[in-house]
């Protein structure tokens, strides 16, 4: 039967439960198909080393428990020695003393086809039988109680496991890989392994019921072993459609079962049958049905019964009193039951739950009762609750939550009669105030949503000097809590709308949860164990006093009323010597923050918009977040342990002092008025001072002197930096990246003289540079290590650009975006012009072999060329003689006057001509071109078709918004270039 079809066939029920025999034909096919794949597996894995046997055994058991024997077979080969039970048996039974012909212990026979593979082993096991007794410490931990397999082949498995042992397997037939039946001799098929009954018993003790049923299908010995009564102590028939006859059959097969679960409409009939036949019942679980009076009278016949659980049931006819009398019952659970009156007399009863039951009268005579749960018994009057609880002098735990009739008088009498009461849940009891109630042994007190609890109630709670857990959620009239409890560990105060003052003195307090108390303004906590304190959204909190020697994490996010005095609390000497993480996000009343702490590691001031002064003297501070502190005027980090600092956008910051011996990255981007900066960071590698328009030369000189390891210096939009500041760059021998974009520089000589190792130079929009400013680059050989040059939006003339591109052949990335003086990109030089180029290598050809020959060095190393938005460029010509053997990326988009593009380039991979609206001629010989963008170009289909025909590796073509290219003719383009995978057109994408 498949897993998907779990419901037994009604035609089979009589056969399954009517006899204990099963023919070979009934089981042979199942056995043959299940063991066919296992035999080859066992043969391969049986030679594993004996020292791995125990681990292999554990893995086999785990695999069987998780996925059944099918998953074990599928994974065993891949997991090696830690997956096969057969390997365990074969390796672990080496010490056996029995002869292989001794049939005292039955052997499992695995049938399959092997090529020259036979083995036989025999052994005995001293492992002993596993302990299968049930620990009934908790209803929820009953073995098998979690099994809720539906109406599957459970009854089939029961019947299968109890069939005759004399059935013989037909080993003369076996299915081959094609599903055909082959006639193979018995000697070729049978592989014998001696699995002792003790070993099987030990293995099967780890399996649950569904896997025991699967094990029963493997062979006859496993079927008998899996049916052992030790594994069927708990009979679970919850939500099963089982007939009375079938139920009687199961009870007769396992008369020594100790636990039974039954539910459903026929529950009463079945449980009465069980009581008469199962004399060893210790646990009985019933639910969802009606139980008549005679059941409770018959309980006396279950002399071994220790636990009775009834859930969601009607007891009796709902009118008369139900009596539960039993001399050995220890645990009683009647949850969500419908009954008028109940009487319980059980001299050994220890726990009883009547939760959510609807009785109006309850008489309890249980002198040893320790736990009583009457939560949500709305109909029980105060007097009945008082009588029931006070009649149990050994009571330790009492749950009377949602019993609205409970009064202080009842609590006082319970306190007098139950001296050992340690756990009390009186939540949602509006009539209690704890006035004059004394519970000295109480360790857990829960009084959620008790309207009578006020600040005066704290006097009664203060007498519970053993109290460990206190929960006061939703006590709407509570205004203050002042407690000095030496054992208090956990306190909750949530949604107390009038709560204003908290004073706790408890040395071992480890957890406190205070939230949504809108008028709370003062907190005073003394504790040596508290490690984490979270007080988010306490909008009225103004005073905080902490004496917490172990406190490490504090979160005061959105405490909008906190003042600058909070800094003293978290500085050295403030009472929190071990504090390492502090969050003050969105505390908008903070204006001047000063922390002096040797322990602080992380500080967050996100959204503290009113802070104007920040002083941090925290040598171990490693992380600080100042996002949104946009009113900051003065900042001092001296000393700090920061490795990086990003001040974000601080448009008002004018004074900065940083002493950070470990800092490697500093971002001052957006500190537009910063004029005084002392930066002492000897390990600093990266400095970004973009938009620091007031940063002067003397400040730059001081910084380079104190930070000699800087490799990347960004001075974009720093117009106050001049030649004197640039001269100080000689202090930075490791400088490789320099950004001077949007500055007013006219002379770059200090850069050329001081930055011999420079690799990246950005000069965007440096409009005051003249045509001769870059002559040292292409005439004097300055900056020999330079690889990337950005001259976008500059004013260099056409000739200067041509000389730069012709002579600086070591450049790999060049950006000329928006250069208005650039008219053509014409590298089609004459032979005479080529010979005049100082670094030209005439012999450099574009053949594949030349490009990859390490002995040849092409004259141009250019890989990436950007000429975006050059309005006056009309022609781009890159012939083979241009020696652009390394060019991969060319971007000419937004060049609206570009008309002609003629490129012959072996390695070009990306070409962007989008928005070149004047483009008319396109010639490409780029065999490795992968992406071509022609969006919004006025070029026609024939020109595109001809251009891409010589691009044999083109994959992506974008012709969207090209008015002269119809989306209906994409087939022509695909035919021109067979490698195309994606064509984007204005009406469709394919």
């Amino acid at each position: 039967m498949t897993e998907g079809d779990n419901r037994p066939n009604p035609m089979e029920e009589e056969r399954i439960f009517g006899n204990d025999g099963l023919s070979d034909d009934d089981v042979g096919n199942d056995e043959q198909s299940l063991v066919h794949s296992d035999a080859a597996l066992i043969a391969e894995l049986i030679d594993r080393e004996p020292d791995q046997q125990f681990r292999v055994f554990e893995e086999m058991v785990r695999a069987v428990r998780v996925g059944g024997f099918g998953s074990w077979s599928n994974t065993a080969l891949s997991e090696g020695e830690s997956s096969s039970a057969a390997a365990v048996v074969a390796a672990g039974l080496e010490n056996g003393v029995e002869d292989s012909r001794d049939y005292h212990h039955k052997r499992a026979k695995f049938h399959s086809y092997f090529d020259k593979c036979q083995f036989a082993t025999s052994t005995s096991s001293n492992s002993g039988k596993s302990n299968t007794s049930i620990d009934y410490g908790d209803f929820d931990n009953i073995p098998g109680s979690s099994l809720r397999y539906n109406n599957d082949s459970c009854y089939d498995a029961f019947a299968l496991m109890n069939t005759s042992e004399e059935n013989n397997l037909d080993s003369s037939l076996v299915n081959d890989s094609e599903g055909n039946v082959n006639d193979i001799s018995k000697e070729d098929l049978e592989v014998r392994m001696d699995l002792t009954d003790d070993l099987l018993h030990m293995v099967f003790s780890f399996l649950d019921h569904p896997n025991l049923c699967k094990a029963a299908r493997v062979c006859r010995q496993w079927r008998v072993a899996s049916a052992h009564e030790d594994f069927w102590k708990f009979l679970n028939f919850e939500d099963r459609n089982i007939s009375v006859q079938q139920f009687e059959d199961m009870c007769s097969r396992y008369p020594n079962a100790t636990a039974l679960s039954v539910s459903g409409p026929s529950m009463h009939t079945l449980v009465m049958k069980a009581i008469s036949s199962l004399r060893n019942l210790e646990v009985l679980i019933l639910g969802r049905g009606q139980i008549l009076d005679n059941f409770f009278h018959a309980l006396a016949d279950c002399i071994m019964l220790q636990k009775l659980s009834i859930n969601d049931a009607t007891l009796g006819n709902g009118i008369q009193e139900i009596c539960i009398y039993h001399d050995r019952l220890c645990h009683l659970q009647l949850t969500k039951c419908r009954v008028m009156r109940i009487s319980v007399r059980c001299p050994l009863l220890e726990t009883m739950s009547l939760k959510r039951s609807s009785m109006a009268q309850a008489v309890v005579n249980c002198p040893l009762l320790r736990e009583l749960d009457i939560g949500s018994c709305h109909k029980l009057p105060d007097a009945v609750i008082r009588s029931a609880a006070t009649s149990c002098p050994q009571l330790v735990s009492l749950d009377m939550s949602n019993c609205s009739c409970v009064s202080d008088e009842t609590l006082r009498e319970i306190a007098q009669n139950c001296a050992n009461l340690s756990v009390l849940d009186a939540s949602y009891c509006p009539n209690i105030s704890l006035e004059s109630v004394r519970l000295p042994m109480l360790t857990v007190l829960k009084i959620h949503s008790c309207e009578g609890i006020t600040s005066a109630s704290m006097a009664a709670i203060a007498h519970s000097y053993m109290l460990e857990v206190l929960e006061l959620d939703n006590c709407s009239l509570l205004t203050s809590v002042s407690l000095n409890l030496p054992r208090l560990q956990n306190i909750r105060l949530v949604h107390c709308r009038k709560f204003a003052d908290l004073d706790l003195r408890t040395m071992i307090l480890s957890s406190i949860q205070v939230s949504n108390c809108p008028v709370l303004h003062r907190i005073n906590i003394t504790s040596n164990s508290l490690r984490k304190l979270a007080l988010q959204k306490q909008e009225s909190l103004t005073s905080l006093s902490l004496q917490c020697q172990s406190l490490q994490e504090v979160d005061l996010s959105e405490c909008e009323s906190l003042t600058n005095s909070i800094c003293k609390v978290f500085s050295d000497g403030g009472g929190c010597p071990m504090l390492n993480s502090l969050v003050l996000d969105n505390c908008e009343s903070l204006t001047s923050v000063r922390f002096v702490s040797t322990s602080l590691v992380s500080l967050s001031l996100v959204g503290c918009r009113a802070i104007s002064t920040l002083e941090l003297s925290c040598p171990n501070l490693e992380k600080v977040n100042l996002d949104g502190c946009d009113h900051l005027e003065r900042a001092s980090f001296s000393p700090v342990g920061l490795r990086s600092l990003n001040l974000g956008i601080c448009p008002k910051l004018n004074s900065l002092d940083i002493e950070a011996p470990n800092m490697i990255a500093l971002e001052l981007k957006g500190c537009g008025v910063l004029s005084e900066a002392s930066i002492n960071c000897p390990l600093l590698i990266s400095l970004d001072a973009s938009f620091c328009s007031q940063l002067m030369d003397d400040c730059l000189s001081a910084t380079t002197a104190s930070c000699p390891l800087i490799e990347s210096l960004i001075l974009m939009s720093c117009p106050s930096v001049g030649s004197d500041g640039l001269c100080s760059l000689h202090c930075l021998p490791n400088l490789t990246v320099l950004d001077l974009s949007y500055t007013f520089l006219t002379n770059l000589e200090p850069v050329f003289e001081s930055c011999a190792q420079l690799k990246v130079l950005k000069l965007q929009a440096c409009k005051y540079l003249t045509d001769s400013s870059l002559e040292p680059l292409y005439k004097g050989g300055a900056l020999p290590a330079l690889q990337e040059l950005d001259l976008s939006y500059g004013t260099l003339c056409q000739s200067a650009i041509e000389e730069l591109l012709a002579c600086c052949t070591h450049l790999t990335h060049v950006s000329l975006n928006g250069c208005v003086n650039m008219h053509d990109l014409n590298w089609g030089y004459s032979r005479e012009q080529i010979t005049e180029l100082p670094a030209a290598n005439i012999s450099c050809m574009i053949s594949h072999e030349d490009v990859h020959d390490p002995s040849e060095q092409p004259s141009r190393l250019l890989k990436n060329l950007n000429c975006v938005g050059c309005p006056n460029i009309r022609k781009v010509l890159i012939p083979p003689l241009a020696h652009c053997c390394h060019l991969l990326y060319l971007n000419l988009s937004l060049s609206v006057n570009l008309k002609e593009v003629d490129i012959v380039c072996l390695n070009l991979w990306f070409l962007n001509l989008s928005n070149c609206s004047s483009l008319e001629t396109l010639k490409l010989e780029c065999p490795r071109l992968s992406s071509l963008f022609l969006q919004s170009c006025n070029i026609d289909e024939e020109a595109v078709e001809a251009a891409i025909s010589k691009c044999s590796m083109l994959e992506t073509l974008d012709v969207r918004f090209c008015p002269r290219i119809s989306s209906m003719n994409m087939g022509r383009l695909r035919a021109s270039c067979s490698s195309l995978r994606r064509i984007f057109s204005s009406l469709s994408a394919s």
Side-chain angles (χ1 to χ4, degrees):
M1 184 174 294
T2 63
E3 295 182 359
D5 186 10
N6 292 328
R7 189 177 298 277
N9 191 330
M11 298 294 293
E12 296 179 351
E13 291 187 357
E14 182 177 356
R15 174 181 64 79
I16 294 171
F17 293 97
N19 60 78
D20 291 335
L22 191 63
S23 67
D24 286 339
D25 293 337
D26 293 326
V27 299
N29 292 335
D30 286 339
E31 284 190 324
Q32 184 173 332
S33 61
L34 286 168
V35 305
H36 176 67
S37 60
D38 289 342
L41 169 66
I42 294 168
E44 180 170 339
L45 298 179
I46 197 165
D47 293 330
R48 300 292 180 185
E49 296 182 5
D51 61 352
Q52 302 292 333
Q53 57 186 356
F54 187 70
R55 185 173 61 176
V56 178
F57 165 72
E58 289 181 329
E59 293 294 332
M60 174 267 186
V61 171
R62 185 181 298 109
V64 171
R65 294 181 68 182
V66 173
F69 288 87
S71 66
W72 165 48
S73 301
N74 293 333
T75 59
L77 281 174
S78 62
E79 294 184 4
E81 66 270 13
S82 61
S83 298
S84 173
V88 175
V89 175
L93 303 181
E94 289 181 344
N95 298 324
V97 295
E98 297 184 26
D99 187 82
S100 62
R101 297 181 180 180
D102 185 358
Y103 292 95
H104 176 69
H105 295 290
K106 303 214 183 315
R107 293 178 291 184
K109 300 178 181 180
F110 294 85
H111 299 268
S112 185
Y113 181 72
F114 292 91
D115 290 331
K116 300 179 182 180
C117 179
Q118 269 190 319
F119 59 89
T121 51
S122 61
T123 120
S124 63
S125 172
N126 296 323
S127 59
K129 295 187 177 182
S130 62
N131 184 8
T132 58
S133 63
I134 302 176
D135 181 9
Y136 298 123
D138 192 332
F139 278 110
D140 296 332
N141 292 327
I142 298 174
S145 63
S146 62
L147 298 176
R148 296 292 184 265
Y149 41 92
N150 297 326
N151 292 328
D152 54 10
S153 56
C154 182
Y155 306 139
D156 296 322
F158 280 135
L160 175 64
M161 290 186 293
N162 289 277
T163 53
S164 172
E165 297 182 19
E166 302 302 324
N167 296 333
N168 295 319
L169 296 174
D170 184 5
S171 61
S172 63
L173 298 176
V174 67
N175 291 332
D176 62 13
S177 61
E178 301 294 333
N180 302 319
V181 179
N182 297 328
D183 189 0
I184 303 174
S185 64
K186 184 174 182 179
E187 289 75 10
D188 292 332
L189 288 169
E190 186 173 295
V191 180
R192 294 183 177 272
M193 289 172 50
D194 286 340
L195 278 72
T196 66
D197 292 341
D198 286 344
L199 178 59
L200 277 180
H201 197 91
M202 179 177 64
V203 173
F204 288 174
S205 67
F206 290 95
L207 305 184
D208 54 18
H209 288 179
N211 278 316
L212 282 171
C213 296
K214 294 178 183 179
R217 298 175 182 269
V218 173
C219 65
R220 188 170 296 103
Q221 185 198 16
W222 286 34
R223 180 171 68 246
V224 174
S226 61
H228 197 282
E229 65 177 0
D230 283 353
F231 310 133
W232 300 92
K233 294 292 187 181
F234 175 56
L235 302 181
N236 188 353
F237 298 102
E238 184 176 350
D239 298 324
R240 304 195 69 80
N241 185 17
I242 183 172
S243 68
V244 175
Q245 181 60 40
Q246 292 169 345
F247 184 82
E248 289 181 343
D249 183 48
M250 297 307 303
C251 291
S252 65
R253 288 175 182 171
Y254 298 104
N256 295 321
T258 59
L260 174 67
S261 177
V262 182
S263 64
S266 59
M267 172 179 60
H268 178 74
T269 304
L270 298 181
V271 74
M272 294 304 294
K273 294 290 184 182
I275 289 177
S276 61
S277 57
L278 302 177
R279 295 297 182 178
N280 295 319
L281 276 181
E282 298 177 5
V283 175
L284 187 56
I285 302 173
L286 310 174
R288 290 186 292 281
Q290 184 175 17
I291 303 176
L292 301 180
D293 299 342
N294 56 346
F295 164 76
F296 298 99
H297 297 308
L299 273 182
D301 296 335
C302 290
I303 58 174
M304 305 297 291
L305 191 65
Q306 297 182 21
K307 293 191 175 184
L308 173 62
S309 175
I310 304 176
N311 178 54
D312 194 13
T314 300
L315 308 185
N317 58 13
I319 300 177
Q320 75 275 23
E321 182 178 64
I322 295 299
C323 299
I324 302 178
Y325 299 160
H326 199 284
D327 292 337
R328 299 192 62 177
L329 194 65
C330 297
H331 307 281
L332 175 63
Q333 182 175 332
L334 305 177
T335 305
K336 202 179 178 182
C337 290
R338 296 166 290 280
V339 61
M340 183 62 68
R341 295 182 297 275
I342 187 171
S343 176
V344 181
R345 186 176 64 196
C346 301
L348 298 182
L349 195 66
E350 296 179 1
T351 66
M352 180 168 67
S353 175
L354 305 177
K355 199 174 192 70
R356 302 181 65 188
S357 295
S358 62
M359 74 279 294
Q361 181 69 32
V363 178
V364 180
N365 186 1
C366 306
L368 298 182
L369 192 67
R370 295 174 58 82
E371 298 180 15
L372 176 61
D373 186 350
I374 54 175
S376 299
C377 293
H378 301 289
K379 294 184 179 180
L380 282 180
D382 187 35
V384 173
I385 296 175
R386 184 186 314 167
S387 174
T390 56
S391 64
C392 306
Q394 302 299 319
L395 202 61
V396 173
S397 175
L398 175 61
D399 186 345
M400 55 173 62
S401 57
N402 281 289
C403 293
S404 57
C405 297
V406 175
S407 65
D408 284 333
E409 180 62 27
T410 295
L411 287 178
R412 282 191 287 269
E413 290 201 23
I414 292 175
Q416 293 174 3
N417 290 275
C418 304
N420 297 321
L421 188 65
S422 61
V423 179
L424 175 62
D425 189 346
S427 301
Y428 301 94
C429 296
N431 296 324
I432 67 169
S433 65
L434 298 181
E435 183 180 351
S436 302
V437 177
R438 300 291 183 267
L439 293 166
M441 301 304 293
L442 208 60
T443 59
V444 177
L445 176 60
K446 299 180 181 181
I447 43 178
H448 300 180
S449 300
C450 292
E451 298 177 1
I453 297 297
T454 65
S455 299
S457 304
M458 297 302 108
I461 296 177
H463 286 84
S464 301
Y465 59 90
M466 302 291 289
L467 197 63
E468 297 177 359
V469 177
L470 176 61
E471 298 183 4
L472 298 165
D473 295 0
N474 292 291
C475 291
S476 57
L477 298 181
L478 185 64
T479 59
S480 66
V481 171
S482 180
L483 293 172
N484 186 356
L485 296 172
R487 296 177 179 268
L488 188 64
Q489 300 178 24
N490 189 321
I491 185 170
R492 281 176 53 97
L493 289 155
V494 179
H495 290 290
C496 298
R497 64 175 184 266
K498 293 186 177 182
F499 182 58
D501 193 348
L502 175 62
D503 188 356
L504 292 177
R505 293 176 299 280
T506 169
M507 291 298 102
I508 62 174
L509 183 70
S510 58
S511 175
I512 176 172
Q513 184 172 353
V514 179
S515 63
N516 297 101
C517 299
V519 299
L520 178 63
H521 67 269
R522 192 180 78 89
I523 294 179
N524 186 355
I525 301 175
T526 301
S527 171
N528 287 337
S529 300
L530 188 64
R531 294 180 178 272
K532 185 175 182 179
L533 178 63
L535 300 170
Q536 300 100 326
K537 297 184 180 181
Q538 300 305 318
E539 300 174 358
S540 301
L541 183 62
T542 57
S543 176
L544 180 63
S545 177
L546 300 175
Q547 293 296 324
C548 303
Q549 302 301 310
S550 300
L551 190 62
Q552 296 181 5
E553 299 179 26
V554 175
D555 189 346
L556 297 172
S557 299
E558 299 185 56
C559 293
E560 298 177 358
S561 299
L562 281 178
T563 62
N564 298 334
S565 61
I566 194 67
C567 300
K568 295 181 180 179
V569 178
F570 300 115
S571 293
D572 289 347
C576 305
M578 297 184 65
L579 183 69
N580 59 49
S581 176
L582 177 60
V583 179
L584 295 171
D585 294 350
N586 298 302
C587 294
E588 297 185 357
S589 295
L590 296 178
T591 59
S592 179
V593 174
R594 183 176 185 271
F595 290 112
V596 179
S597 172
T598 56
S599 63
L600 195 62
V601 174
S602 175
L603 174 64
S604 180
L605 296 168
V606 174
C608 296
R609 299 176 56 86
I611 295 180
S612 61
T613 302
L614 176 65
E615 297 182 26
L616 300 179
S617 181
C618 307
N620 294 309
L621 186 66
E622 297 179 358
K623 181 179 180 181
V624 62
N625 194 338
L626 302 172
D627 289 350
C629 297
D630 49 14
H631 285 70
L632 193 63
E633 297 178 2
R634 295 179 60 254
S636 174
F637 303 84
S638 179
V640 291
L642 295 171
R643 289 181 58 84
S644 64
L645 175 62
N646 185 350
L647 288 176
I649 299 176
C650 296
K652 296 185 178 182
L653 184 66
N654 56 61
S655 177
L656 176 65
D657 183 10
I658 300 178
E659 181 183 346
N662 299 322
M663 186 173 292
I664 60 175
L666 174 61
E667 287 195 23
L668 306 177
K669 188 184 303 182
C671 300
V673 298
L674 182 63
S675 58
E676 299 179 13
S678 174
I679 302 174
N680 185 7
C681 306
L683 299 182
L684 193 66
I685 294 176
S686 174
L687 174 60
D688 187 345
S690 302
F691 306 103
C692 293
S693 58
Q694 303 298 319
L695 197 65
M696 307 299 289
D697 287 344
D698 56 347
C699 180
L700 179 60
S701 300
T703 301
T704 56
S706 60
C707 308
L709 300 182
I710 290 179
E711 298 177 4
S712 174
L713 180 60
I714 312 298
L715 298 174
M716 183 176 66
S717 295
C718 295
S720 299
V721 173
S723 297
D724 292 340
L726 294 181
C727 289
S728 67
L729 298 182
H730 72 275
C731 299
L732 306 177
N734 299 324
L735 187 65
T736 57
V737 177
L738 178 61
D739 190 345
L740 298 172
S741 301
Y742 297 91
T743 58
F744 299 154
L745 294 172
T746 59
N747 183 11
L748 294 178
E749 285 295 335
V751 176
F752 297 144
E753 295 175 358
S754 305
C755 306
Q757 302 300 319
L758 199 63
K759 295 181 180 179
V760 178
L761 177 60
K762 295 185 178 182
L763 300 170
Q764 293 185 40
C766 292
K767 297 182 178 181
Y768 292 93
L769 290 177
T770 64
D771 295 340
S772 61
S773 298
L774 294 177
E775 286 186 358
L777 278 179
Y778 53 83
K779 290 185 177 180
L783 305 181
L786 191 66
Q787 297 177 1
E788 181 175 342
L789 178 62
D790 191 344
L791 297 172
S792 300
Y793 311 106
T795 57
L796 292 182
C797 65
Q798 174 75 17
S799 60
I801 294 175
E802 289 179 351
E803 289 190 73
L804 180 71
L805 294 176
C807 299
C808 296
T809 57
H810 56 284
L811 293 176
T812 61
H813 292 70
V814 176
S815 293
L816 299 168
N817 303 324
C819 290
V820 295
N821 294 329
M822 186 175 180
H823 300 290
D824 286 318
L825 186 62
N826 187 349
W827 290 347
Y829 305 104
S830 65
R831 183 176 301 274
E832 291 76 11
Q833 289 173 309
I834 294 174
T835 58
E836 293 175 0
L837 297 179
N841 185 356
I842 307 301
S843 62
C844 178
M845 304 300 292
I846 66 165
S847 66
H848 186 277
E849 292 78 5
D850 289 338
V851 171
H852 293 88
D853 186 359
S855 63
E856 296 261 1
Q857 294 296 327
S859 58
R860 295 183 191 271
L861 299 180
L862 189 63
K863 296 180 179 180
N864 189 313
L865 178 59
N866 286 294
C867 297
V868 177
C870 295
N872 296 316
I873 189 170
R874 291 176 174 81
K875 180 179 181 180
V876 174
L877 176 61
I878 305 180
L881 294 180
H883 308 300
C884 293
C885 303
H886 295 273
L887 187 63
L888 301 176
Y889 182 100
L890 178 59
N891 192 346
L892 298 163
S893 61
L894 294 171
S895 298
V896 294
N897 291 313
L898 181 62
K899 292 184 177 181
E900 181 181 352
V901 174
D902 186 352
I903 301 175
V904 180
C905 189
L906 174 66
N907 291 314
L908 188 66
W909 175 78
F910 179 93
L911 176 60
N912 190 352
L913 297 170
S914 296
N915 295 287
C916 295
S917 55
S918 301
L919 185 64
E920 297 175 355
T921 303
L922 179 61
K923 297 180 182 179
L924 300 176
E925 291 187 26
C926 305
R928 296 185 182 178
L929 188 66
S930 176
S931 300
L932 175 60
F933 290 85
L934 298 171
Q935 183 175 339
S936 299
C937 289
N938 201 32
I939 193 169
D940 57 25
E941 293 178 4
E942 290 75 12
V944 175
E945 185 178 347
I948 65 175
S949 63
K950 296 183 180 181
C951 301
S952 58
M953 299 180 66
L954 187 65
E955 296 182 355
T956 301
L957 175 63
D958 188 349
V959 291
R960 285 175 291 182
F961 310 111
C962 294
R964 301 179 64 184
I965 299 178
S966 173
S967 60
M968 305 301 294
N969 296 329
M970 295 298 105
R972 292 179 56 187
L973 298 178
R974 288 188 181 277
S976 300
C977 184
S978 59
S979 61
L980 270 176
R981 296 183 181 180
R982 294 170 294 276
I983 300 179
F984 298 99
S985 64
S986 56
L987 296 181
S988 64
S990 57

